[in-house]
Amino acid sequence: MVYSFYEICWFFFIYSFIGWSAEVCAAAFNRKKFINRGFVNGPFCPVYGIGAAAFTIFLPELRENLFFLFLGGVILASFIEFTTGALLEKVFHKKWWDYSKIRFNFEGYICLRYSVLWGIFAVLMIYFVNPFFASLLSLLPHLPGVITLWVLGGLLIVDALGTALAILGMQKRMRQITQLTEEMGKVSKLLENAITRKITGRMEKAFPALDAKNLKGQEKQKAKSKVFAEGCSFYKLISLFFIGAFLGDVTETIFCLITTGRLMSRSSVVYGPFSIVWGLGCALLTAVLYRIKDKSDSYIFIAGTLLGGAYEYICSVFTELLFGTVFWDYSGFRFNLGGRINLLYCFFWGIAAVVWMKLLYPHLSRWIEKLPLKTGIILCNIMIIFMVFNCLLSALALSRYEERQRMEDAQIQTESPSGLDVFLDTHFDNTRMEKIYPNAKLVE
């Protein structure tokens, strides 16, 4: 069953509330008192809502095979939980949860016990729970439902921003504000006490690792560096995105030439040899696997296999939903999952993770850091602007290509195409689009 965006938004809030209730009950049982375990102050745990929304979007096509549905839930949930935990630690410098004491865990972010539980929840959600909630939502008048979603969304955004600022305030302690005038300093201190003290206290109780006392010394670590893109910083990841996008496109082109004897484009965009999937994969895997780069090859291989497979599956579904186009299909491979991923290519992701973290990344990181600070920042910003424009134009060209194909199939002629349509038809006609995306297939 395919659910509408309206229903998915409701599922997000419903499951966020259910997850928050479960966390609060578990905390009350363990600590014998009420503790708000949510990231935000309201009765929501967004990570549960994100997981439920992801299950609703990505897993329904697997419902015909119970085992694949369960496996998809395990992989997808593990991917979300691992990346969320790693990114939160990257931002706030502390773990929000730690499964290190549970057997069969991976870096304390995920463990087999809860991943299996998520897989069971995925099966129950797709078969029973989601249809039940959908039937209840059908009883709710649409306009009040939409208004309620907007209100809940606005409150959640404000709540999340306030909580994030309060947590960052535990680290920064209003460092910049103290440079203002004495009068403004008093006002700021008053506001800090009124708005953030309660949030800070709640977060310290819910997540002891975030205690402000444990965050002393962070200011020293955040001293401005004179080295461009030092460590695993934003500009380092941006640089790796472009390098990975280029190397991924070249690698796929050579692989296709060797296996099929055909020289074909593997680019994701209309300008330049860039594979967005590989670029994002390099940046994401680097951000997530950076802290285990010194682990054994087999350790990194397993992590790369699981994370890469989940990432490729998500990209496949996302691009199909966004563009109505399938860019790759592995249905002819053995051990494939919905034609979106297959075991062999998942192993390729694992091998790529080892080669990347052990061989390529150390050299590339040193080369990137040799760039002058200002030059590196300017180059990265220019490339970001270029790629944003490139992706937007590629999306428009693909959308127009899809529209032309469907009109040709239905033998429909547009009476008066817009100026943008004329531009896209002229510069990105069917011949050029089929050359750029030779494996693209339109779907309903």
Side-chain angles (χ1 to χ4, degrees):
M1 180 177 181
V2 178
Y3 295 98
S4 66
F5 180 73
Y6 169 80
E7 291 173 314
I8 292 173
C9 289
W10 267 112
F11 289 164
F12 168 81
F13 284 105
I14 291 172
Y15 287 106
S16 293
F17 175 74
I18 293 175
W20 176 84
S21 301
E23 288 276 358
V24 168
C25 291
F29 178 80
N30 293 327
R31 304 191 195 181
K32 310 303 180 184
K33 61 180 180 179
F34 174 82
I35 297 176
N36 183 357
R37 284 278 300 172
F39 173 80
V40 296
N41 296 287
F44 297 110
C45 274
V47 67
Y48 288 92
I50 293 172
F55 286 173
T56 305
I57 294 171
F58 298 117
L59 298 183
E61 62 184 25
L62 302 178
R63 63 176 295 137
E64 301 300 325
N65 189 307
L66 185 63
F67 174 75
F68 279 171
L69 178 58
F70 167 79
L71 183 62
V74 170
I75 294 174
L76 186 58
S78 299
F79 177 82
I80 293 173
E81 191 170 25
F82 185 91
T83 52
T84 301
L87 291 175
L88 282 174
E89 183 175 359
K90 176 74 175 172
V91 174
F92 299 110
H93 309 286
K94 287 292 179 181
K95 278 190 175 181
W96 286 63
W97 61 84
D98 191 354
Y99 300 143
S100 299
K101 296 182 180 179
I102 302 177
R103 295 185 64 188
F104 308 113
N105 74 87
F106 183 76
E107 293 300 309
Y109 295 118
I110 58 176
C111 66
L112 183 62
R113 178 196 303 176
Y114 291 121
S115 293
V116 169
L117 194 61
W118 274 105
I120 296 172
F121 285 160
V123 173
L124 295 176
M125 281 177 55
I126 299 301
Y127 278 108
F128 306 108
V129 185
N130 278 358
F132 171 73
F133 284 139
S135 64
L136 292 181
L137 289 174
S138 65
L139 303 176
L140 178 67
H142 187 71
L143 183 58
V146 171
I147 295 174
T148 304
L149 282 178
W150 277 104
V151 172
L152 289 175
L155 292 174
L156 182 61
I157 291 173
V158 172
D159 195 354
L161 288 175
T163 303
L165 290 174
I167 297 172
L168 292 174
M170 293 166 63
Q171 300 174 342
K172 296 180 180 179
R173 291 302 180 190
M174 311 299 286
R175 177 180 55 187
Q176 297 176 344
I177 296 179
T178 56
Q179 299 174 0
L180 299 177
T181 62
E182 183 178 355
E183 183 178 353
M184 280 298 296
K186 293 179 180 179
V187 175
S188 299
K189 190 66 178 178
L190 177 63
L191 289 174
E192 181 189 4
N193 290 339
I195 299 174
T196 66
R197 184 186 296 171
K198 188 173 182 179
I199 298 176
T200 300
R202 182 185 72 79
M203 298 304 292
E204 289 176 354
K205 291 179 181 179
F207 304 97
L210 295 176
D211 193 323
K213 295 179 182 179
N214 295 330
L215 295 174
K216 287 183 178 180
Q218 294 295 334
E219 297 300 324
K220 295 181 181 179
Q221 298 176 7
K222 292 199 172 185
K224 286 189 176 180
S225 173
K226 296 181 180 180
V227 178
F228 171 67
E230 187 176 15
C232 189
S233 62
F234 171 76
Y235 281 116
K236 175 66 68 61
L237 296 177
I238 290 296
S239 302
L240 293 175
F241 164 79
F242 287 107
I243 294 173
F246 174 74
L247 293 179
D249 183 273
V250 172
T251 301
E252 284 205 24
T253 301
I254 295 174
F255 179 78
C256 289
L257 179 62
I258 294 174
T259 55
T260 66
R262 295 175 55 201
L263 185 63
M264 66 177 73
S265 168
R266 301 299 296 168
S267 177
S268 304
V269 288
V270 293
Y271 292 127
F274 299 107
S275 174
I276 301 301
V277 172
W278 278 97
L280 288 175
C282 286
L284 180 62
L285 289 178
T286 301
V288 174
L289 300 180
Y290 179 78
R291 68 189 309 274
I292 63 169
K293 64 182 185 301
D294 297 324
K295 297 280 188 178
S296 66
D297 293 353
S298 58
Y299 196 87
I300 296 177
F301 171 79
I302 294 173
T305 298
L306 296 176
L307 292 173
Y311 168 73
E312 188 174 16
Y313 187 94
I314 291 172
C315 286
S316 175
V317 176
F318 179 77
T319 52
E320 182 178 330
L321 292 173
L322 187 63
F323 302 115
T325 304
V326 174
F327 291 93
W328 60 85
D329 186 2
Y330 302 140
S331 299
F333 288 76
R334 296 184 64 184
F335 307 113
N336 75 85
L337 191 60
R340 302 189 185 280
I341 60 174
N342 68 82
L343 188 60
L344 176 62
Y345 282 14
C346 286
F347 287 157
F348 284 172
W349 276 104
I351 295 171
V354 175
V355 173
W356 180 259
M357 297 306 299
K358 293 292 188 178
L359 299 179
L360 298 179
Y361 172 76
H363 297 292
L364 291 173
S365 179
R366 285 194 294 269
W367 292 342
I368 292 170
E369 291 177 5
K370 288 181 180 179
L371 285 172
L373 182 61
K374 291 184 178 180
T375 303
I377 293 175
I378 292 173
L379 284 176
C380 277
N381 288 335
I382 291 173
M383 291 300 292
I384 290 172
I385 295 172
F386 162 74
M387 190 54 71
V388 169
F389 169 77
N390 203 358
C391 289
L392 289 175
L393 185 59
S394 301
L396 291 172
L398 276 168
S399 178
R400 180 58 180 170
Y401 171 64
E402 175 192 352
E403 185 180 356
R404 287 198 304 265
Q405 292 288 91
R406 299 197 188 284
M407 288 191 300
E408 290 173 5
D409 292 340
Q411 296 182 344
I412 300 174
Q413 179 107 20
T414 52
E415 297 182 359
S416 55
S418 65
L420 178 60
D421 291 339
V422 172
F423 171 82
L424 295 173
D425 293 341
T426 303
H427 293 83
F428 302 100
D429 56 18
N430 290 0
T431 302
R432 183 176 181 183
M433 294 300 292
E434 289 164 4
K435 184 178 180 180
I436 298 174
Y437 306 106
N439 293 326
K441 296 190 299 184
L442 298 182
V443 295
E444 291 298 330

